[in-house]
Amino acid sequence: MILSISGVVLLGVVVFVFFRKDGLKASHAVVCALFGFYLASTAIAPSIKAGGASLANLLGGIKI
């Protein structure tokens, strides 16, 4: 649960930065959000979730 919330917050911040700095239009942000919602309901969603969890474990294991 914490991973999914932090992932949503991170992606939200990235979209906000693109919106403010790189000229992302509001319509593009809406399309990105709708794409995410529709992608979450497809059969590939578990694979995307597993890949995200694997990436989080990989990044969490890096010692600086």
Side-chain angles (χ1 to χ4, degrees):
M1 181 68 172
I2 293 172
L3 177 65
S4 64
I5 290 174
S6 62
V8 168
V9 170
L10 176 65
L11 291 175
V13 168
V14 169
V15 169
F16 179 76
V17 168
F18 283 162
F19 180 72
R20 297 295 291 169
K21 300 291 182 189
D22 292 336
L24 180 70
K25 294 184 167 86
S27 61
H28 297 147
V30 169
V31 168
C32 289
L34 288 175
F35 178 69
F37 283 117
Y38 286 122
L39 190 61
S41 66
T42 64
I44 198 168
S47 298
I48 294 171
K49 186 175 180 179
S54 176
L55 181 63
N57 287 335
L58 178 72
L59 293 176
I62 295 175
K63 304 227 188 269
I64 297 176

